[in-house]
Amino acid sequence: MKPKVYRLDGRKIKSVKDFYREIGRSVNGRGGYFGANLDALADCLRGGFGTPDDRPFEVDWDHSESSQRHLGGAFVDAVVEVFDEEGITLRLR
């Protein structure tokens, strides 16, 4: 089964708060929740927070280089690690 792909617009991410707002919007629509810290992000990636229960999903982080300039490499690396630990594909584009 083809995975559902959620897209983050890195141009909208200039702070950690923006990151969580943008991933919440991508997965659950405007104003949607998808964590507010790395532990909550891991919980959300496990399912039940707007992700499909019946098929795999992936996340494409478009314009990730723009986000990385604002967030710093350590935060982005931590996010990548959470995705890896949960077995969810995250593509930095």
Side-chain angles (χ1 to χ4, degrees):
M1 179 179 290
K2 188 173 182 175
K4 175 156 181 60
V5 177
Y6 298 102
R7 301 188 88 78
L8 305 182
D9 184 347
R11 296 171 296 189
K12 296 179 180 179
I13 301 172
K14 296 184 168 81
S15 69
V16 171
K17 186 175 179 178
D18 289 345
F19 168 78
Y20 290 109
R21 184 177 312 134
E22 179 62 11
I23 196 167
R25 180 212 53 81
S26 176
V27 175
N28 292 308
R30 188 172 183 203
Y33 175 82
F34 205 74
N37 58 54
L38 294 172
D39 290 333
L41 175 63
D43 290 342
C44 290
L45 289 172
R46 289 185 197 114
F49 291 92
T51 58
D53 291 328
D54 60 343
R55 69 182 200 182
F57 64 94
E58 303 173 346
V59 176
D60 287 350
W61 189 341
D62 297 327
H63 308 284
S64 61
E65 68 285 344
S66 174
S67 305
Q68 201 160 13
R69 282 194 303 274
H70 295 285
L71 298 172
F75 179 77
V76 174
D77 290 347
V79 168
V80 168
E81 185 175 324
V82 169
F83 273 79
D84 287 346
E85 288 174 359
E86 297 305 324
I88 306 298
T89 298
L90 172 64
R91 283 183 289 279
L92 302 178
R93 297 177 175 241

